[in-house]
Each structure stands twice: as structure tokens, then as C-alpha cells.
Amino acid sequence: MVTGKYALIGYPLGYSLSPALHNNFFEKENISAAYEAKALLETEIESFVKAKEYTGFNVTIPYKETIIPYLDRITSTAHEIGAVNTVKLVDNAYIGDNTDAGGFGLMLKEDLGINMQGMRVLLLGAGGAAKAISYRALKDECRELLVFDTSLDKTESLLARYSSYKQIKALNSLQSITPFYPQIDMVINATPVGMKDNSSILNSEEINLLPKTAYVIDIIYSPLETPLLKIAREFGLKTLNGVGMLAGQGILGEKLWFNKSLSYQEAKAIISHGL
Ligand code: NAP
């Protein structure tokens, strides 16, 4: 029987769906392990890692980058994205990986039956989640990746990270996106706009300029339908929220830890139930 201690570390840790997701998996697979949410101060990270008390753990805001120097190794995916969200203990060494990018890809595959190959993608946001999504889009060989963020520093940091990919371009204002709308295949909101403020990052006029075949994805999962998704749905566009990305990163984490996982639909159902 497999045993172990698993955790999510971050700070502050509000209500998290990860314990429900992974504890359900342990129960279903008869794995004698427990997953807990563990709020850690930055000064506690080093001793947490050194103790090697946990067989695996997830990392969330604000430590996805901070954790890297404390780990024994990171995968090439985590290295290229510059962030770690899943860690596995192997032969007493902590190995960091990133399943956010794969989680986004799994959601596209499972919910829409697509990847981003050949697509013109408009990515709103250049923060942590956007870095992982950019990686997926570039590995999928998207035709163009247009990135807009109000923070110039974050936009520049994302561009510098992927400077070897010629498809990626930064836009410096919302207005500068206007000529591109009719050619966009997929819009992805990776900003927090619409989570608490009940506002849409794009207005109706802008959404109306998109082709009727465009996908509009908001990686926010609470609320399930953000104002952006509501407007896009009312225009008849295909929409998707972030539940599947969260489920996907969890499933890929389980696969990394145990070589098996909940099914995509099971994971989505547990998350939806917990929201
Ligand atoms: P983050 O690192 O803070 O990045 C968000 C970025 O959006 C920041 O650079 C921010 O700039 C920018 N921004 C804010 N308002 C903007 C606007 N009006 N126009 C353009 N850019 C704007 O956050 P994150 O970790 O990437 O998370 C982003 C969102 O994705 C959150 O809502 C989070 O809940 C969600 N998320 C979902 C999943 C999932 O599994 N479904 C996973 C990760 C994240 P400033 O820093 O200047 O404000």
C-alpha cells in the first residue's frame, strides 16, 4: 500500500479545493495518504523543504518562483516556464515540475477537443498563469500569441522568457488590440478581472469584433461564468471557464506522484461540488 503526506503550500491560503480533490483520489484508489493545505511564511520554506516530511506537495501564490532554489532539481518544463506548482520526493530529492501548462492543455483537449496549433491567440495577462499558458500555446505551435497586460514589467518578463519563439508579440494598450480582433481564434483571460469586480476585461463592442468561430476562455473558476464569458456566450461564441484547468493540473500532479489519477470528469465534478 502506498502511503504518504501531501500538501499545498502558499500564503495566505484561503479556501482551497486541492485537499478535496486529492483526498477523494486517495480514498478511491485506497491509497493511505493525506493531503492538507499548509500556509507557510516565506521564512518557513527552507525548513519545510529540508525536513522532507512530505512525499509530494503543490505550490501556489506567492511561492511558485520562490521555491525553485530550495529544490534539488526542476524539470525542463518548470525551468522554461520559470515556476513550479508540483513537487515530488524521489530518492530523498525534491523534484519540481509545472502542471499548470499541461492542465490548460488537458482542458482544451477534454472540453473542446482542440489544441492551439495554428491559432492566433490573444492572451490577456502576463502573470504566473499567463506564463504557463504561453508555454502551452508555444509548444502547441500557435500561429501568433498576442499578450496584453497593464503591467509593463510583467509583459517584458514574459516576453524575455520566451524570446526564442517568434510567434509571441506584446501589445501595449487595449486599444492597440482593435485591428487584431477579426483574426483572433482564441481569447484567454489570465487576469483577475471578473473574479470579484463583476466587470469584463473586454467590452461588448470588442467581443463583437471577434469571428463567430472564436473561443473565449476565462481561467477564473469562481464565478463559473464571469462577465466576459457571459457577453461572449450571448454573442454565440464558444466559452469555457477555468474549472478544467484546475482539474487538469491536479490530475497531472496525481499522475506524477502515483502514475494514476482521477478521471478528468471526476476531478471536475469534485471541484464544481466544492465551489
Ligand atoms: P498574477 O500573477 O497576479 O497575474 C495577473 C496579471 O494580470 C498581472 O500581471 C496584472 O497586472 C494583470 N492585470 C490586472 N488587471 C489587468 C487588466 N485590466 N488588463 C490587463 N492586465 C491586467 O495572477 P495569476 O496567478 O497569473 O492569476 C490570474 C488569474 O487566473 C486569477 O484570477 C487566478 O484565480 C486565475 N488562475 C486560475 C487557474 C486555474 O487553474 N483555473 C490557475 C492559476 C490562476 P498587475 O500586477 O499590474 O495588477
Side-chain angles (χ1 to χ4, degrees):
M1 187 187 278
V2 188
T3 58
K5 280 179 78 174
Y6 293 81
L8 169 70
I9 65 160
Y11 194 88
L13 275 186
Y15 173 67
S16 167
L17 295 158
S18 295
L21 186 70
H22 297 305
N23 286 323
N24 265 284
F25 166 67
F26 297 155
E27 203 171 309
K28 185 178 170 239
E29 293 291 339
N30 203 17
I31 295 170
S32 158
Y35 187 106
E36 61 180 305
K38 202 170 167 62
L40 284 187
L41 294 173
E42 191 165 345
T43 49
E44 296 173 309
I45 292 180
E46 189 171 3
S47 55
F48 172 84
V49 172
K50 274 195 177 147
K52 302 249 162 85
E53 198 186 322
Y54 288 79
T55 329
F57 61 94
N58 290 121
V59 187
T60 189
I61 293 168
Y63 301 138
K64 288 187 183 188
E65 296 176 18
T66 323
I67 193 80
I68 293 175
Y70 298 106
L71 301 174
D72 297 292
R73 287 198 301 280
I74 63 171
T75 61
S76 59
T77 303
H79 177 72
E80 203 169 341
I81 297 169
V84 161
N85 80 320
T86 307
V87 178
K88 180 179 181 176
L89 188 66
V90 181
D91 298 332
N92 210 36
Y94 271 141
I95 301 169
D97 202 348
N98 188 305
T99 67
D100 286 329
F104 187 81
L106 191 62
M107 172 177 78
L108 294 187
K109 180 169 162 250
E110 293 284 340
D111 283 331
L112 302 171
I114 59 168
N115 60 41
M116 289 174 275
Q117 187 173 28
M119 288 197 183
R120 279 208 171 85
V121 178
L122 172 61
L123 178 61
L124 303 167
K131 275 190 183 143
I133 293 169
S134 298
Y135 174 86
R136 190 64 266 144
L138 294 164
K139 293 290 172 191
D140 274 1
E141 298 181 346
C142 67
R143 182 194 293 206
E144 201 161 35
L145 180 62
L146 303 167
V147 182
F148 169 69
D149 192 299
T150 41
S151 157
L152 199 60
D153 283 357
K154 287 198 186 157
T155 310
E156 280 174 357
S157 145
L158 188 144
L159 251 71
R161 176 156 298 284
Y162 299 114
S163 58
S164 61
Y165 295 87
K166 60 181 186 327
Q167 304 103 301
I168 191 161
K169 285 192 184 73
L171 297 166
N172 53 17
S173 69
L174 262 184
Q175 290 69 33
S176 66
I177 306 174
T178 306
F180 294 98
Y181 286 116
Q183 302 152 29
I184 300 290
D185 299 299
M186 181 182 285
V187 176
I188 304 164
N189 179 37
T191 77
V193 180
M195 193 156 66
K196 292 194 179 122
D197 52 6
N198 201 33
S199 65
S200 174
I201 188 154
L202 301 184
N203 63 34
S204 303
E205 289 74 34
E206 290 160 337
I207 294 171
N208 197 26
L209 292 173
L210 293 167
K212 292 299 166 221
T213 50
Y215 297 93
V216 177
I217 298 174
D218 199 324
I219 65 162
I220 291 171
Y221 47 83
S222 178
L224 287 172
E225 185 174 63
T226 58
L228 170 72
L229 292 188
K230 181 169 185 287
I231 301 170
R233 177 176 55 79
E234 286 168 355
F235 275 111
L237 305 180
K238 285 163 276 190
T239 61
L240 197 58
N241 63 30
V243 170
M245 179 175 174
L246 188 63
Q249 65 77 31
I251 287 174
L252 296 175
E254 288 169 358
K255 283 203 172 131
L256 202 69
W257 292 329
F258 300 98
N259 216 18
K260 56 186 169 182
S261 71
L262 290 169
S263 74
Y264 181 72
Q265 293 308 335
E266 282 170 329
K268 267 182 81 170
I270 292 165
I271 289 165
S272 302
H273 180 75
L275 285 170

